[in-house]
Amino acid sequence: MSSPSPRTRERQPPAIIRERLAGIVERVTFQCPRTGWTVLKVAPFDAPHTRVTVTLHHLAVFAGATMEFHGNWGRHAKHGEQFECQEAVERKPASAAALERYLGSGLIRGVGPAIARKVVRHFGAETLRVFEEEIGRLVEVRGIAERKLESIRASWSEHRMIRDVMLFLQEHGVSTLFAVRIYKQYGNAAIAVVQADPYRLARDIYGIGFFSADRIALALGFAADGPRRIEAGIRHVLSASREAGHCYLRREQVVEQCVALLEPEHVEPVQMRAAALLDGLVAAREVAVRHLDRPRGPGDGVTTDAATASGRFTAYYAPSLFRAEESVARAVASRIGQRPDVDTARIRKWLGAQTRRSALELSDEQRAAIEGIATERFSVLTGGPGCGKTTALRTLVQLLDAMGRRVVLAAPTGRAAQRMSEVIGAEAKTAHRLLEWDPVRAGFRRDANNLLPADFLVVDETSMLDILITAALLDAVPQAAQVLFIGDPHQLPSVGPGAVLADLLAAPAVPRFALTKVFRQAATSDIIRFAHAIDGGQTPNPISPIADPGVWTRGTDCLFLDAEEATGAELAFVRRAKRVIAATIAGAASTTVTSDGAIVGELVRTDDAGQRGVRFDKQASTEATTAQPEFSIPKRFLHVDLEALSRTSTGLQELQTVLRRLHPHSTLHHGLSLTAAVARLYTKTIPAHLGAATEIQILSPMNRGSVGADALNTAIQTAVNPARDDLAELRFGQRILRTGDRVIQRRNDYDLGVFNGDIGRIVGVDPLGPAVDVAFASAGLPDREVRYDRQALSDLGLAYAITIHKSQGSEFAAVIIPLCTQHYSMLFRDLVYTGLTRARKLAIFVGSRAALGLAVANVDARQRQTALTAVLADLPSGVAHAIVDREQTRLDARTSW
């Protein structure tokens, strides 16, 4: 298998020429103590009678301060022009008046405007020197006694330390935002910590990765091939491997990726040092190892090479992942074979009575699954759409309730929990809410020392569970409690590390129950029929609403709208061809057209009825004249009619000339590109047929590209929530957020209590803050409003369109799935299957049927490197459930190491 790339760099800002602004701070308009986000009014030295707005992250800026700001001018939609500062340096106050205001602005506890005036009048130009060198002399000023002096001394020392830390960090390329975070983390020891080990920043502070820490280290003089840098590289490689879903890497992967990461001048010595330092980190227990005998299951991902020729190899882990994998294996093994004391005959009798009372139809598979799950301490239930998982689970919960069991329902995401609550008729919680995250302790309240009050835990959508949250869940379940994991093994794996569901199903000892029969009612749904066809490797052929408009009234629930969108290569060719055509029309000479070095024709200027244009004459290579300018056409564009292209005036017309073939039912025949077709479905067609209140979700295979989630979000936002004078908005980077926008949380934020994939709606925008208020729906509860300040805003994105990966565990009334060949790198069977099964009432593919066929035929062979199956096989059934280092495991759900 291919190794995960170590080059997962933090996003770098584009190179921008910075401007300088120097002046006196007139007023601190706003400052957030938690993030340091500050808005100032400044009187510039070069325009002292004006006041400009400056925004920055800083912890110690006060009125009267003389500052030098470095950044760029920008324009806020509501507040106009402002200076966006990236670096700020405090200078000596420019005048006695400024000094007086500076000291009396609240900078120093116990010194107000009156005391500040007395101090400046007493010491004059020597005031700042006195504060720096002879602060004890302040008792010379009437009103400052020894007790007040000590308060002033402590406050001045704190201010000076903050100023020195900010200045030191900025001098070494750290932005003011991260300087604030670093000071908050380390306090007055920040400079000493960074000087001693700048790579520690990557471990301790979110947002500062290896590459940022590495820049600081190299600037401080750390050796490019030194042990500190190599050790940091090893940690980064192991930590970054989880982005590919891996729990561990093999020795050669760690060394090779570390060398590729560091790009040393001499490779071989660094390889040898990396191998030795890896052993040192293992000895110091900073890297964990597990010795595996052979591949044991779909997640082991081990290839046959020198390291495994003997059937044995060493797996290297970040410690948090090692502990989590060990913890899950022990929790499962401790329950296998330990049957609860239940009366099977009574269960069968109750099932019979229940089905008669409710006229419920249970299949033999469902009956067997319910009976079996009730008699196991740990089990897994699987099934695809329409196979009756929901009915089986609802009946199981009713049975457990009749048995007097305390049942706890959980799911990985808020939307999955909400759906679980609706279909089961009992409260379900997200895993994080169930475990009660405590931001003060930076850990879950529920753990091995504070167990959940549960006799039976049911977790749905377990294909989404990564190894860390699974460990936290099982750690908090009483040993006597039963546990059921439910999932669809054909859906995408978790975003985080591990392959929990796949690994459990690969372990022979784990009890599992599979529902495979599609019920008659479900079989009438094209969504369900096509999903099972895709799972079996068969490409479905949904009806086109253009070919058969009657599908809207017949209630067909899965459609395909054939549409096209120009690729990057097609757009580049059109631009180049248009430039050549324009030059030919403007010039006196014709243009020779070649392909692969051979002449294929000549582009000639024409003058028809006073209108200049071009004509393309095909001719033999012998007719070429070397004096003519040359236009080279790639073979794939030889079909393009250059004369027709010269007459186009819109992007749609250009696209029609570039496409080799046009589907007879393409939206292009109706003047709609793929993006325009998606927008029309979202804004008009689907609301017209399913109702204006219908929740519609666009699910794209990827974020990038002209029909990726990012571009589609911009298009849909413009269509449904455009800029208006009466509508508050906030510009943040390339994004615009407005009141009413549909938004998604893009990573777990334990402090705010919102998690990766949560979808909400903006209900308020504070451009000055800057901040937005977002309402999130909670299962069985009123909407919960969360305020996002500037620091948290970077994790919030538009959600009119999201990736299929982000949709896992969610269900929407209608989904639109754009599919085209520009999504090639992400077109896999499990991706399309997952996207389709997110739809409850209607699913519409938009794009190329060839892309759908490509995805169905393309099985993702990339295997995750995990060892849960192997560890389970090595543990005896009923082994005592012991957690290695419980306190550290409690933190692992949040930390990266």
Side-chain angles (χ1 to χ4, degrees), residues 389-390 411 413-426 428 460-461 464 491 779-780 807-812 837-838 840:
K389 289 199 306 293
T390 299
T413 68
R415 294 185 67 90
Q418 185 175 4
R419 182 161 59 94
M420 195 179 187
S421 296
E422 292 168 353
V423 298
I424 303 304
D460 198 7
E461 297 286 357
M464 297 178 64
Q491 288 189 24
S807 73
Q808 287 175 266
S810 298
E811 190 176 75
F812 309 95
T837 54
R838 300 309 89 202
R840 188 168 64 250

Side-chain angles (χ1 to χ4, degrees), residues 530-593:
F530 291 159
H532 285 280
I534 289 170
D535 181 42
Q538 299 176 343
T539 304
N541 188 27
I543 299 171
S544 164
I546 291 179
D548 182 5
V551 295
W552 294 112
T553 57
R554 291 201 300 273
T556 306
D557 64 1
C558 187
L559 307 171
F560 200 110
L561 194 59
D562 301 277
E564 281 80 20
E565 191 79 17
T567 65
E570 288 168 342
L571 290 171
F573 172 76
V574 167
R575 287 194 296 267
R576 195 160 59 91
K578 285 272 198 169
R579 286 197 298 269
V580 171
I581 290 168
T584 303
I585 292 173
S590 57
T591 301
T592 300
V593 181

Side-chain angles (χ1 to χ4, degrees), residues 308-638:
T308 61
S310 64
R312 190 170 181 79
F313 70 98
T314 302
Y316 293 83
Y317 288 79
S320 61
L321 295 178
F322 179 90
R323 286 190 291 267
E325 202 171 61
E326 187 81 15
S327 173
V328 171
R330 288 185 174 275
V332 173
S334 69
R335 289 177 168 82
I336 294 174
Q338 303 296 305
R339 291 178 174 270
D341 184 16
V342 295
D343 188 336
T344 305
R346 289 189 65 186
I347 290 175
R348 289 175 182 163
K349 182 178 179 181
W350 182 91
L351 281 175
Q354 178 70 3
T355 53
R356 287 191 298 272
R357 280 194 303 268
S358 59
L360 183 67
E361 179 186 353
L362 290 177
S363 68
D364 292 341
E365 282 182 336
Q366 288 174 312
R367 285 178 179 271
I370 295 169
E371 291 178 17
I373 291 166
T375 59
E376 297 287 353
R377 287 208 184 275
F378 184 89
S379 55
V380 178
L381 175 65
T382 64
C387 292
K389 289 199 306 293
T390 299
T391 300
L393 176 58
R394 187 187 303 117
T395 306
L396 173 66
V397 171
Q398 292 168 348
L399 168 64
L400 295 171
D401 185 59
M403 295 170 67
R405 299 285 198 270
R406 294 173 298 175
V407 180
V408 173
L409 305 176
T413 68
R415 294 185 67 90
Q418 185 175 4
R419 182 161 59 94
M420 195 179 187
S421 296
E422 292 168 353
V423 298
I424 303 304
E427 183 186 16
K429 296 180 179 180
T430 65
H432 292 88
R433 184 167 163 239
L434 179 68
L435 296 173
E436 300 175 16
W437 176 262
D438 183 352
V440 176
R441 295 171 57 208
F444 293 119
R445 293 191 181 95
R446 295 291 181 180
D447 56 21
N449 299 314
N450 182 25
L451 297 171
L452 290 166
D455 300 314
F456 204 115
L457 171 67
V458 180
V459 186
D460 198 7
E461 297 286 357
T462 51
S463 62
M464 297 178 64
L465 288 180
D466 64 39
I467 195 70
L468 292 167
I469 194 64
T470 306
L473 273 170
L474 294 179
D475 188 25
V477 180
Q479 183 58 34
Q482 295 170 260
V483 177
L484 171 64
F485 279 5
I486 304 175
D488 184 343
H490 306 297
Q491 288 189 24
L492 290 166
S494 62
V495 175
V500 174
L501 180 60
D503 283 352
L504 290 174
L505 293 174
V510 173
R512 82 285 312 275
F513 303 91
L515 302 179
T516 59
K517 177 187 174 183
V518 179
F519 281 77
R520 288 192 303 273
Q521 304 94 311
T524 63
S525 163
D526 283 340
I527 291 175
I528 291 174
R529 288 195 306 109
F530 291 159
H532 285 280
I534 289 170
D535 181 42
Q538 299 176 343
T539 304
N541 188 27
I543 299 171
S544 164
I546 291 179
D548 182 5
V551 295
W552 294 112
T553 57
R554 291 201 300 273
T556 306
D557 64 1
C558 187
L559 307 171
F560 200 110
L561 194 59
D562 301 277
E564 281 80 20
E565 191 79 17
T567 65
E570 288 168 342
L571 290 171
F573 172 76
V574 167
R575 287 194 296 267
R576 195 160 59 91
K578 285 272 198 169
R579 286 197 298 269
V580 171
I581 290 168
T584 303
I585 292 173
S590 57
T591 301
T592 300
V593 181
T594 65
S595 183
D596 285 352
I599 295 175
V600 295
E602 188 178 29
L603 202 59
V604 182
R605 186 178 73 179
T606 63
D607 256 324
D608 295 331
Q611 294 293 321
R612 285 186 174 181
V614 292
R615 183 182 74 253
F616 181 61
D617 292 335
K618 292 184 179 180
Q619 58 186 21
S621 60
T622 55
E623 299 177 41
T625 59
T626 56
Q628 292 177 335
E630 184 179 305
F631 175 41
S632 177
I633 298 182
K635 277 189 175 180
R636 58 180 162 168
F637 293 124
L638 278 175

Side-chain angles (χ1 to χ4, degrees), residues 46 131 135-136 140 286 308 418 437 507 530 595 617 717 822:
D46 57 0
F131 270 90
I135 199 167
E140 298 174 13
E286 293 188 47
T308 61
Q418 185 175 4
W437 176 262
F530 291 159
S595 183
D617 292 335
Q717 183 191 45
Q822 69 173 251

Side-chain angles (χ1 to χ4, degrees), residues 490-492 534 700-702 803-805 807 817 819 823 826-837 855 858 860:
H490 306 297
Q491 288 189 24
L492 290 166
I534 289 170
S700 176
M702 58 200 304
T803 63
I804 294 174
H805 277 90
S807 73
I817 307 173
L819 284 180
H823 297 138
M826 293 298 296
L827 293 180
F828 294 106
R829 183 182 300 175
D830 57 356
L831 187 92
V832 176
Y833 175 89
T834 301
L836 177 59
T837 54
N858 196 13
D860 191 352

Side-chain angles (χ1 to χ4, degrees), residues 533-742:
I534 289 170
D535 181 42
Q538 299 176 343
T539 304
N541 188 27
I543 299 171
S544 164
I546 291 179
D548 182 5
V551 295
W552 294 112
T553 57
R554 291 201 300 273
T556 306
D557 64 1
C558 187
L559 307 171
F560 200 110
L561 194 59
D562 301 277
E564 281 80 20
E565 191 79 17
T567 65
E570 288 168 342
L571 290 171
F573 172 76
V574 167
R575 287 194 296 267
R576 195 160 59 91
K578 285 272 198 169
R579 286 197 298 269
V580 171
I581 290 168
T584 303
I585 292 173
S590 57
T591 301
T592 300
V593 181
T594 65
S595 183
D596 285 352
I599 295 175
V600 295
E602 188 178 29
L603 202 59
V604 182
R605 186 178 73 179
T606 63
D607 256 324
D608 295 331
Q611 294 293 321
R612 285 186 174 181
V614 292
R615 183 182 74 253
F616 181 61
D617 292 335
K618 292 184 179 180
Q619 58 186 21
S621 60
T622 55
E623 299 177 41
T625 59
T626 56
Q628 292 177 335
E630 184 179 305
F631 175 41
S632 177
I633 298 182
K635 277 189 175 180
R636 58 180 162 168
F637 293 124
L638 278 175
H639 65 279
V640 176
D641 184 339
L642 295 177
E643 294 180 24
L645 183 59
S646 73
R647 295 190 294 270
T648 60
S649 58
T650 67
L652 282 173
Q653 293 170 346
E654 292 170 352
L655 179 56
Q656 287 176 319
T657 65
V658 172
L659 294 173
R660 186 178 293 276
R661 288 181 298 274
L662 197 59
H663 193 281
H665 304 307
S666 171
T667 60
L668 274 185
H669 295 303
H670 302 271
L672 297 174
S673 66
L674 193 157
T675 298
V678 169
R680 187 176 183 86
L681 286 170
Y682 191 98
T683 60
K684 294 182 180 180
T685 311
I686 295 176
H689 289 93
L690 295 186
T694 301
E695 184 184 29
I696 307 168
Q697 186 61 60
I698 302 167
L699 302 179
S700 176
M702 58 200 304
N703 279 311
R704 298 185 305 276
S706 59
V707 285
D710 292 341
L712 290 170
N713 269 318
T714 301
I716 301 301
Q717 183 191 45
T718 301
V720 303
N721 198 29
R724 301 197 315 264
D725 290 341
D726 62 339
L727 189 64
E729 70 174 39
L730 179 66
R731 292 181 180 269
F732 191 78
Q734 298 299 313
R735 286 169 291 147
I736 301 174
L737 301 176
R738 299 188 181 108
T739 302
D741 274 336
R742 182 179 174 89

